[in-house]
Amino acid sequence: MKIPSLTEITTKAESAFKRFPITLVWSILGSLYCMSIVGDSSLDLFDDKSNVLLTLSLGISWLIGIQFFVEQFKNKKKWLWLKVVVLALLGLFYWYYPSVYHYTQNPIYLTRFFLYLIAGHLFVLFAPFLVKWDKNAYWNYLNLTGVAITRSLFFSGILFLGLVLALIAIEALFDINIKRRRYGQLFIFCLGIVNTWIYLADFPKNVMQNTIIQLNKAIEVLVKYILIPLVILYLLILYAYSAKIVIEWELPKGWVSYLVIALSVLGYVIQIIINPIQKSIKSWTINRFFPWFYLLLIPLNILLFVAIFRRINDYGITENRYFVLAIAIWNVAMIAYILLSKKKALRTIPISLFAIAIFSSFGFWGAHSVSNASQTRQFEEIFNKVKENNNTASQSELYQLKSILTFLEERKKVTNLNSVTQLNIEDFREEGYEYNTFGYLNKYKIWKKLDIKLDSASLTNNASSNRIYYNKSNYSNVKLSTSIADYDYFTYLNYYNTNKTIDAGVYDILLDMNTIEIDIYTKKDSLKHIRIPIKQKLLELSEKTDNLNNLDDSNFNFTTENKTMKINLFLSEVSFNIKTDKKITFTSFKAFLFIKEK
């Protein structure tokens, strides 16, 4: 990689500023703003300014892309109004995007940000070729884009490391305390200003005239000996898995969808790299990559759709499944296009992905609208089935109902369930934390009002049951209704996932982690003994809710007695999981124990 001279750097920097004035002003001012608010903690940056920061980061790729788009026209001034449109849209995004305290309560905001961020970067990949097309020029454009990104990251990275080492040296040699925030500010400066400026300075004009293909030997080696062998390996794995499915006659696992999509994307990257030289280069694997790779993808896409629709049929559509399904449909369309089209304009790949990113972000057809509607229908189907079964739900049904309620609550669409449950869900909202303007939805009260009972027999039939339950109270604030005067002895128990015997004065107290029972023995008289069945109590609690913090204190206070002793136990903290065989495993266990001898 050629290291440029100082004169070349300044000349390129000046040329880049004249070519991309809006982009560089945006980058410089945005970086300086970020540097001014960065604190000693990396989290401080997002305390109150997330809407500004995300808008600034979103704008870079869109402003670069619109400049590339305008440059393809002879009369560039005629299209300058598009830059104003992009700036207006960025302003609209800033106005729409809430502060950090609000966007963390609803995933729709971050999802849309990432969709627009991806769309902006995809826009850069085809902007100069949206109107005009040349296969060789497009290949060179993508090649130069990759080189420019690599060079800018390399040079800005070297500068950052050098400056960091300089600060460390100053601290060590001169005993000067340099604030931690300076390192964060240096990182923002190098990434936001230096990296962007170098990238734009490296990028040539008149990309449509650059039609001579010069394949770098390193790229050829990368494709022949790394990328294509990886494709072959993934094909073998997926076909072996397909054979396993046919032999065992079972449905495919959901995660196989991601592997098929990843394999397809890797294939498209290879196709873009080798497209102009596929027939001219002397390489058997490169020459035959098309069409065999795409023909071999067809059966795997059948597997892909079976896996997707299995999950959708069982659990409905979520945003993740929406995007997997959208990419799966896109994948089939791309395979058909590459196999059947004579033109094979590879700009179709980023353009089509750009369209998916934009159009899936809004409207009744968008990811959030479709997901909310699907989960509402899923809840209605399960809820009606439970009502028909005498208001009794299996563990999996109850888990799905609660998951859907949480899903819709996170997206502030929980009122969709009002017509299904015949409840006004908002009536169960209580005052939340200071930053939570929506308040806290008391789900325990909702389930209590719905009076849905859990079918205990389903616990052993659900192979995936391995639920964690946790309750924690500040024992200094616990309100006990038990009078100490009614008992002879009091102690506080504290166990952590192992059998343990506590020497409690005149008593020995043993927690058996296998049977989940507490045995209390009197040292003077071994016949005075009582066993506390903790396991049964925990099973009862787990049937009420999967979040024990939703229960009031009375649920954790219970009494047991025999002929020799009476015991009152209050669980102040308990963390455990229940497996399919109802085996309980503790993480921690704390309790107040009151003992009375008879």
Side-chain angles (χ1 to χ4, degrees):
M1 184 179 292
K2 180 184 176 182
I3 299 178
S5 65
L6 182 60
T7 303
E8 184 183 356
I9 290 174
T10 55
T11 302
K12 281 190 170 184
E14 183 181 358
S15 176
F17 190 84
K18 290 179 179 179
R19 185 183 176 191
F20 300 94
I22 297 177
T23 306
L24 284 173
V25 168
W26 179 281
S27 178
I28 293 169
L29 294 180
S31 297
L32 292 176
Y33 174 78
C34 292
M35 291 167 66
S36 69
I37 66 172
V38 70
D40 289 332
S41 170
S42 60
L43 296 177
D44 293 344
L45 191 62
F46 284 89
D47 276 351
D48 299 302
K49 311 295 183 181
S50 60
N51 48 356
V52 180
L53 299 177
L54 294 178
T55 304
L56 289 171
S57 60
L58 189 65
I60 298 294
S61 58
W62 281 95
L63 290 170
I64 293 173
I66 201 64
Q67 176 64 29
F68 287 167
F69 175 77
V70 169
E71 287 182 348
Q72 69 184 309
F73 300 102
K74 290 183 179 180
N75 187 3
K76 299 178 180 61
K77 293 182 179 180
K78 182 180 177 181
W79 296 91
L80 290 179
W81 60 272
L82 288 174
K83 296 182 181 181
V84 179
V85 171
V86 170
L87 290 172
L89 290 174
L90 289 170
L92 185 63
F93 178 84
Y94 166 76
W95 174 80
Y96 155 81
Y97 209 89
S99 66
V100 64
Y101 295 136
H102 294 158
Y103 85 73
T104 53
Q105 296 176 37
N106 194 334
I108 186 174
Y109 298 112
L110 278 179
T111 302
R112 282 180 174 160
F113 165 73
F114 282 113
L115 286 173
Y116 297 147
L117 185 68
I118 292 169
H121 285 78
L122 289 169
F123 184 42
V124 172
L125 295 181
F126 65 82
F129 296 87
L130 195 58
V131 177
K132 302 177 182 179
W133 172 249
D134 183 276
K135 180 174 69 173
N136 290 353
Y138 185 66
W139 190 91
N140 282 324
Y141 171 78
L142 294 180
N143 183 39
L144 290 170
T145 300
V147 171
I149 291 173
T150 304
R151 280 166 58 95
S152 62
L153 288 174
F154 178 76
F155 290 140
S156 58
I158 291 295
L159 177 64
F160 173 69
L161 290 175
L163 293 174
V164 166
L165 290 175
L167 290 181
I168 293 173
I170 291 172
E171 273 194 295
L173 297 176
F174 299 99
D175 294 326
I176 298 175
N177 183 28
I178 296 176
K179 294 181 179 180
R180 300 301 98 185
R181 64 184 301 187
R182 302 304 176 207
Y183 297 95
Q185 290 170 335
L186 275 180
F187 179 79
I188 294 170
F189 172 78
C190 292
L191 181 64
I193 298 177
V194 178
N195 175 69
T196 304
W197 210 319
I198 293 175
Y199 168 73
L200 295 177
D202 269 351
F203 212 87
K205 296 182 180 180
N206 304 319
V207 293
M208 292 298 297
Q209 298 175 13
N210 187 10
T211 58
I212 299 175
I213 299 296
Q214 293 181 346
L215 182 65
N216 190 297
K217 190 66 178 178
I219 295 178
E220 182 183 344
V221 171
L222 174 67
V223 173
K224 285 174 63 175
Y225 301 109
I226 297 178
L227 297 184
I228 290 181
L230 280 176
V231 165
I232 295 171
L233 174 63
Y234 287 133
L235 283 170
L236 291 173
I237 292 172
L238 286 169
Y239 269 92
Y241 180 64
S242 301
K244 176 178 178 290
I245 289 173
V246 172
I247 293 171
E248 297 182 357
W249 201 244
E250 62 178 12
L251 290 171
K253 296 180 179 179
W255 62 265
V256 76
S257 307
Y258 300 104
L259 189 56
V260 175
I261 291 173
L263 172 63
S264 303
V265 171
L266 179 58
Y268 299 139
V269 171
I270 295 173
Q271 184 66 41
I272 290 172
I273 294 174
I274 67 174
N275 187 53
I277 46 86
Q278 185 175 2
K279 299 303 179 184
S280 59
I281 196 170
K282 294 181 180 179
S283 170
W284 186 90
T285 53
I286 291 178
N287 295 155
R288 289 162 178 77
F289 184 81
F290 173 85
W292 291 108
F293 170 73
Y294 300 98
L295 294 174
L296 291 171
L297 270 185
I298 294 174
L300 296 180
N301 274 269
I302 297 173
L303 181 69
L304 169 62
F305 277 97
V306 172
I308 293 172
F309 282 112
R310 176 195 177 187
R311 300 293 292 176
I312 290 176
N313 183 65
D314 290 343
Y315 304 109
I317 298 176
T318 60
E319 287 90 352
N320 286 346
R321 294 178 198 129
Y322 177 97
F323 290 121
V324 171
L325 180 59
I327 295 300
I329 295 172
W330 168 84
N331 193 32
V332 171
M334 286 300 100
I335 293 172
Y337 176 77
I338 292 174
L339 286 174
L340 302 177
S341 172
K342 293 182 180 180
K343 191 174 183 180
K344 291 182 177 58
L346 294 180
R347 65 181 174 181
T348 306
I349 294 175
I351 289 175
S352 55
L353 285 173
F354 173 87
I356 291 174
I358 294 296
F359 287 105
S360 63
S361 68
F362 66 93
F364 65 87
W365 58 81
H368 295 289
S369 296
V370 172
S371 300
N372 293 337
S374 174
Q375 290 302 307
T376 302
R377 287 194 300 271
Q378 193 79 2
F379 187 96
E380 184 175 10
E381 290 176 7
I382 299 171
F383 185 78
N384 289 337
K385 182 179 178 182
V386 170
K387 295 291 284 185
E388 292 173 0
N389 193 28
N390 196 26
N391 240 32
T392 302
S394 67
Q395 188 180 30
S396 62
E397 290 172 338
L398 186 59
Y399 177 74
Q400 278 188 266
L401 290 175
K402 292 182 176 182
S403 296
I404 294 171
L405 179 64
T406 301
F407 178 93
L408 294 175
E409 163 62 5
E410 288 174 350
R411 289 148 183 83
K412 305 309 166 201
K413 294 293 182 180
V414 74
T415 52
N416 290 1
L417 304 179
N418 286 357
S419 59
V420 180
T421 60
Q422 300 302 309
L423 298 175
N424 183 5
I425 302 295
E426 290 298 324
D427 289 344
F428 297 88
R429 196 173 296 282
E430 300 174 356
E431 184 178 352
Y433 296 105
E434 181 181 352
Y435 61 82
N436 190 335
T437 57
F438 296 101
Y440 164 70
L441 188 67
N442 193 323
K443 298 171 187 173
Y444 171 67
K445 289 185 177 180
I446 294 174
W447 299 120
K448 187 174 181 180
K449 184 70 174 179
L450 293 174
D451 192 29
I452 297 178
K453 298 178 285 294
L454 176 64
D455 182 4
S456 58
S458 66
L459 289 173
T460 57
N461 296 329
N462 186 354
S464 64
S465 175
N466 188 1
R467 306 289 303 284
I468 297 175
Y469 297 86
Y470 182 67
N471 167 260
K472 185 174 183 180
S473 302
N474 185 342
Y475 63 83
S476 63
N477 294 328
V478 170
K479 297 178 181 179
L480 294 175
S481 59
T482 304
S483 172
I484 297 178
D486 295 335
Y487 291 86
D488 300 321
Y489 195 85
F490 161 78
T491 188
Y492 183 67
L493 306 179
N494 190 347
Y495 291 102
Y496 286 95
N497 64 22
T498 182
N499 291 342
K500 186 176 181 180
T501 301
I502 293 179
D503 184 355
V506 296
Y507 301 102
D508 283 327
I509 304 173
L510 171 65
L511 174 63
D512 190 329
M513 300 299 294
N514 296 319
T515 61
I516 316 299
E517 294 174 329
I518 293 178
D519 286 296
I520 302 174
Y521 298 90
T522 306
K523 290 181 178 179
K524 293 182 179 180
D525 187 352
S526 59
L527 295 179
K528 289 188 175 182
H529 161 251
I530 191 169
R531 176 168 293 173
I532 308 174
I534 300 294
K535 179 178 180 179
Q536 185 57 39
K537 180 65 177 178
L538 297 180
L539 289 174
E540 292 173 4
L541 290 173
S542 68
E543 291 181 2
K544 293 184 177 182
T545 177
D546 55 0
N547 184 356
L548 301 186
N549 286 301
N550 291 332
L551 302 178
D552 55 44
D553 289 346
S554 62
N555 289 277
F556 301 96
N557 193 27
F558 64 102
T559 302
T560 184
E561 60 182 306
N562 60 15
K563 294 180 180 180
T564 61
M565 289 185 187
K566 179 181 179 182
I567 300 296
N568 183 274
L569 187 75
F570 180 85
L571 301 174
S572 63
E573 180 178 315
V574 60
S575 177
F576 62 98
N577 67 3
I578 300 179
K579 298 185 177 180
T580 53
D581 56 359
K582 294 190 179 182
K583 182 179 179 181
I584 294 179
T585 303
F586 271 117
T587 303
S588 65
F589 172 87
K590 297 179 182 179
F592 297 94
L593 178 65
F594 301 86
I595 305 173
K596 180 177 180 63
E597 292 189 28
K598 293 182 178 180

Short mmCIF file of all heavy atoms in Angstrom, two decimals, residues 53 58 81 108 128 185 198 204 404 413 490 535 553 562 577:
data_model
loop_
_atom_site.label_atom_id
_atom_site.label_comp_id
_atom_site.label_asym_id
_atom_site.label_seq_id
_atom_site.Cartn_x
_atom_site.Cartn_y
_atom_site.Cartn_z
N LEU A 53 -26.95 12.04 18.13
CA LEU A 53 -25.82 11.20 17.71
C LEU A 53 -26.21 10.22 16.61
O LEU A 53 -25.46 10.02 15.65
CB LEU A 53 -25.27 10.44 18.92
CG LEU A 53 -24.74 11.32 20.06
CD1 LEU A 53 -24.30 10.46 21.23
CD2 LEU A 53 -23.60 12.19 19.58
N LEU A 58 -26.14 8.64 10.93
CA LEU A 58 -26.96 8.23 9.79
C LEU A 58 -26.67 9.09 8.56
O LEU A 58 -26.71 8.60 7.42
CB LEU A 58 -28.45 8.34 10.17
CG LEU A 58 -29.48 7.76 9.20
CD1 LEU A 58 -29.33 6.26 9.10
CD2 LEU A 58 -30.88 8.13 9.66
N TRP A 81 -30.94 20.07 -5.58
CA TRP A 81 -32.08 20.10 -4.66
C TRP A 81 -32.24 18.77 -3.91
O TRP A 81 -32.81 18.73 -2.81
CB TRP A 81 -33.36 20.43 -5.41
CG TRP A 81 -33.71 19.43 -6.50
CD1 TRP A 81 -33.30 19.45 -7.78
CD2 TRP A 81 -34.52 18.26 -6.34
NE1 TRP A 81 -33.81 18.38 -8.47
CE2 TRP A 81 -34.57 17.63 -7.61
CE3 TRP A 81 -35.23 17.70 -5.28
CZ2 TRP A 81 -35.28 16.44 -7.82
CZ3 TRP A 81 -35.95 16.53 -5.49
CH2 TRP A 81 -35.96 15.92 -6.76
N ILE A 108 -38.92 -0.32 18.09
CA ILE A 108 -39.22 0.18 16.75
C ILE A 108 -38.23 1.26 16.33
O ILE A 108 -37.85 1.36 15.16
CB ILE A 108 -40.67 0.70 16.67
CG1 ILE A 108 -41.03 1.08 15.23
CG2 ILE A 108 -40.88 1.89 17.60
CD1 ILE A 108 -42.49 1.46 15.07
N PRO A 128 -24.00 5.85 -8.22
CA PRO A 128 -23.55 6.38 -9.52
C PRO A 128 -24.08 5.58 -10.71
O PRO A 128 -23.91 6.01 -11.86
CB PRO A 128 -22.02 6.26 -9.43
CG PRO A 128 -21.71 6.01 -8.00
CD PRO A 128 -22.90 5.31 -7.44
N GLN A 185 -12.26 11.14 22.83
CA GLN A 185 -12.28 12.24 21.89
C GLN A 185 -11.34 12.00 20.71
O GLN A 185 -11.67 12.34 19.56
CB GLN A 185 -11.91 13.54 22.61
CG GLN A 185 -12.99 14.01 23.58
CD GLN A 185 -12.54 15.16 24.45
OE1 GLN A 185 -11.33 15.33 24.69
NE2 GLN A 185 -13.48 15.95 24.96
N ILE A 198 -10.22 10.94 4.49
CA ILE A 198 -9.32 10.11 3.67
C ILE A 198 -10.14 9.28 2.68
O ILE A 198 -9.76 9.15 1.50
CB ILE A 198 -8.46 9.19 4.56
CG1 ILE A 198 -7.48 10.01 5.39
CG2 ILE A 198 -7.70 8.17 3.72
CD1 ILE A 198 -6.67 9.20 6.37
N PRO A 204 -12.20 8.33 -6.74
CA PRO A 204 -12.02 9.05 -8.01
C PRO A 204 -13.34 9.54 -8.59
O PRO A 204 -14.41 9.06 -8.26
CB PRO A 204 -11.41 7.98 -8.92
CG PRO A 204 -11.97 6.70 -8.39
CD PRO A 204 -12.08 6.88 -6.90
N ILE A 404 -46.15 -12.99 24.41
CA ILE A 404 -46.83 -12.07 23.47
C ILE A 404 -47.23 -10.78 24.19
O ILE A 404 -47.10 -9.68 23.64
CB ILE A 404 -48.05 -12.75 22.84
CG1 ILE A 404 -47.61 -13.92 21.95
CG2 ILE A 404 -48.87 -11.75 22.03
CD1 ILE A 404 -48.75 -14.79 21.46
N LYS A 413 -48.24 -1.58 22.09
CA LYS A 413 -49.42 -2.01 21.35
C LYS A 413 -50.25 -3.00 22.17
O LYS A 413 -51.02 -3.78 21.62
CB LYS A 413 -49.00 -2.67 20.03
CG LYS A 413 -48.33 -1.73 19.04
CD LYS A 413 -49.31 -0.67 18.53
CE LYS A 413 -48.67 0.23 17.51
NZ LYS A 413 -49.60 1.27 17.00
N PHE A 490 -35.15 -17.59 66.78
CA PHE A 490 -35.17 -16.96 65.46
C PHE A 490 -33.76 -16.97 64.88
O PHE A 490 -32.77 -16.78 65.59
CB PHE A 490 -35.66 -15.51 65.58
CG PHE A 490 -35.29 -14.65 64.39
CD1 PHE A 490 -36.01 -14.75 63.20
CD2 PHE A 490 -34.20 -13.79 64.43
CE1 PHE A 490 -35.67 -13.99 62.11
CE2 PHE A 490 -33.85 -13.02 63.34
CZ PHE A 490 -34.59 -13.11 62.18
N LYS A 535 -39.44 -27.70 48.49
CA LYS A 535 -39.67 -27.98 47.07
C LYS A 535 -41.12 -27.77 46.68
O LYS A 535 -41.43 -27.14 45.66
CB LYS A 535 -39.24 -29.40 46.74
CG LYS A 535 -39.47 -29.78 45.28
CD LYS A 535 -38.97 -31.18 44.98
CE LYS A 535 -39.22 -31.52 43.51
NZ LYS A 535 -38.72 -32.88 43.18
N ASP A 553 -45.60 -10.24 49.61
CA ASP A 553 -44.83 -10.95 50.63
C ASP A 553 -45.56 -12.15 51.22
O ASP A 553 -44.93 -13.12 51.65
CB ASP A 553 -44.44 -9.99 51.76
CG ASP A 553 -43.38 -9.00 51.32
OD1 ASP A 553 -42.78 -9.23 50.25
OD2 ASP A 553 -43.15 -8.00 52.03
N ASN A 562 -45.26 -30.25 63.46
CA ASN A 562 -45.52 -31.65 63.79
C ASN A 562 -45.73 -31.74 65.31
O ASN A 562 -46.00 -30.73 65.95
CB ASN A 562 -44.39 -32.55 63.30
CG ASN A 562 -43.04 -32.19 63.90
OD1 ASN A 562 -42.98 -31.46 64.90
ND2 ASN A 562 -41.97 -32.68 63.32
N ASN A 577 -34.09 -22.84 39.30
CA ASN A 577 -34.74 -23.22 38.05
C ASN A 577 -35.39 -24.57 38.19
O ASN A 577 -35.02 -25.38 39.05
CB ASN A 577 -33.77 -23.17 36.86
CG ASN A 577 -32.69 -24.23 36.95
OD1 ASN A 577 -32.68 -25.06 37.85
ND2 ASN A 577 -31.76 -24.20 36.02
#
